[in-house]
Amino acid sequence: MSSAAMPADGPVTVDDPDREPLAHPVPEHDVRLGDHTTRLLDRPARAPSRAAPLVLVHALGLDRLMWAGLIEHLPTDRRVIAYDLRGHGRAAGAPPARDLHALAHDLLRLLDALGIARIELAGLSMGGAIAQTFAVDHPDRLAALYLVATAGDPQAAYLQRAAEAESHGVAAQLPAALDRWFTPAFLAAEPAAVRYARQTVNRALVADWSASWRALATLDTRDLLSGIRVRTRVIAGGDDPSTPPAMMRDLARDIPGADFTVIPGARHLISMEVPERLASLLCAEF
């Protein structure tokens, strides 16, 4: 690993002074990926292991910290990495991706920079769309695939949200986003996860937000999913209005041998509302 990609030691906090600190014990470091820099949560394996590292890809509008709570519930015998997509977190303001294939290529460049040959890959929402695309574009780099609360086809709402943000700002979309993401009881309790999500969306750049929705609208893997041969688990939230179980079940049916699981009572941001339940599915045999 280069000196530019060395992890820091000990607990760290969000480096944005405008956001409430979200302390976590996962080491972080930056990696340069051509035209932008990404920041990683990078938890090393506690002991030597043959298991492939697990890479986590976050949802649109959030960043690597979406996974911080979940990482604490994962076994310590493997390396776990969560990184900022371009236009998010440390990579805010990066040149926009033209499509999901460009975002999948960013992940390939990250693996090459870290010297990682194969990974297990989990993506939620837009992260799941990127994970699908990566599986289609770079199958030789995958050991397992987890698609969480994600779509199999582009939705008309994606381009609409991009245009509405340019007309009215990102903050105008926040109430509807939070309602899609979290159950009413979780929102009312106002835990740190909700405060983090609200603050992260409120500080998003309109250009980044809109470019990400337009990239998501290029999702084009549906006719190629039948070619995925890697071990795959598809996970839905039982009360998710964005990617409901029926949509996720259809996605699973397109992937040969895919396991399909529903987490009852969960909405869209499964990784933040019920991290321990999702973590158990990311490390269970199937």
Side-chain angles (χ1 to χ4, degrees):
M1 184 183 295
S2 69
S3 59
M6 288 297 294
D9 294 324
V12 292
T13 59
V14 175
D15 50 20
D16 186 335
D18 296 327
R19 184 164 57 173
E20 177 181 339
L22 185 63
H24 61 82
V26 186
E28 297 195 47
H29 60 98
D30 291 346
V31 175
R32 184 71 185 174
L33 299 179
D35 61 1
H36 72 285
T37 296
T38 185
R39 190 161 184 85
L40 280 61
L41 300 179
D42 192 351
R43 191 198 71 179
R46 184 166 293 179
S49 173
R50 294 183 179 180
L54 174 62
V55 175
L56 307 169
V57 191
H58 65 76
L60 192 154
L62 300 178
D63 59 23
R64 68 196 182 278
L65 295 170
M66 185 191 91
W67 297 104
L70 178 137
I71 291 173
E72 296 182 29
H73 294 283
L74 292 170
T76 59
D77 64 349
R78 67 162 58 192
R79 185 179 184 183
V80 182
I81 296 167
Y83 68 103
D84 288 337
L85 297 170
R86 64 170 67 225
H88 299 76
R90 179 61 62 88
R98 64 185 181 277
D99 55 29
L100 292 174
H101 296 279
L103 292 168
H105 186 71
D106 284 343
L107 175 54
L108 180 68
R109 296 187 71 167
L110 175 62
L111 299 184
D112 289 345
L114 297 175
I116 297 173
R118 296 176 76 231
I119 59 170
E120 294 195 6
L121 179 61
L124 188 152
S125 196
M126 182 177 181
I130 295 168
Q132 292 174 55
T133 306
F134 188 88
V136 167
D137 289 353
H138 309 290
D140 57 314
R141 306 299 290 266
L142 279 186
L145 178 65
Y146 301 88
L147 302 177
V148 186
T150 192
D153 301 290
Q155 309 297 310
Y158 299 164
L159 294 179
Q160 181 180 351
R161 289 169 191 162
E164 287 178 351
E166 290 166 340
S167 297
H168 306 293
V170 175
Q173 297 187 24
L174 180 59
L178 291 176
D179 185 62
R180 293 192 303 270
W181 289 351
F182 301 113
T183 61
F186 195 74
L187 275 174
E190 191 75 10
V194 171
R195 297 195 301 273
Y196 152 80
R198 179 179 291 111
Q199 292 167 358
T200 304
V201 172
N202 271 329
R203 70 197 249 287
L205 301 174
V206 169
D208 288 341
W209 177 270
S210 298
S212 296
W213 282 113
R214 291 193 171 101
L216 184 55
T218 69
L219 179 58
D220 61 359
T221 55
R222 173 69 81 171
D223 293 338
L224 302 172
L225 296 179
S226 62
I228 292 178
R229 294 293 181 264
V230 72
R231 211 165 34 94
T232 301
R233 170 166 278 162
V234 178
I235 303 167
D239 290 339
D240 183 357
S242 296
T243 54
M247 177 188 292
M248 298 291 293
R249 186 178 294 107
D250 287 344
L251 179 64
R253 287 172 177 162
D254 285 344
I255 301 173
D259 176 79
F260 175 64
T261 302
V262 177
I263 299 179
R267 284 210 168 175
H268 196 56
L269 283 186
I270 299 170
S271 65
M272 301 193 71
E273 188 162 355
V274 287
E276 69 287 351
R277 293 165 74 182
L278 180 56
S280 70
L281 292 170
L282 298 182
C283 57
E285 292 295 327
F286 64 98

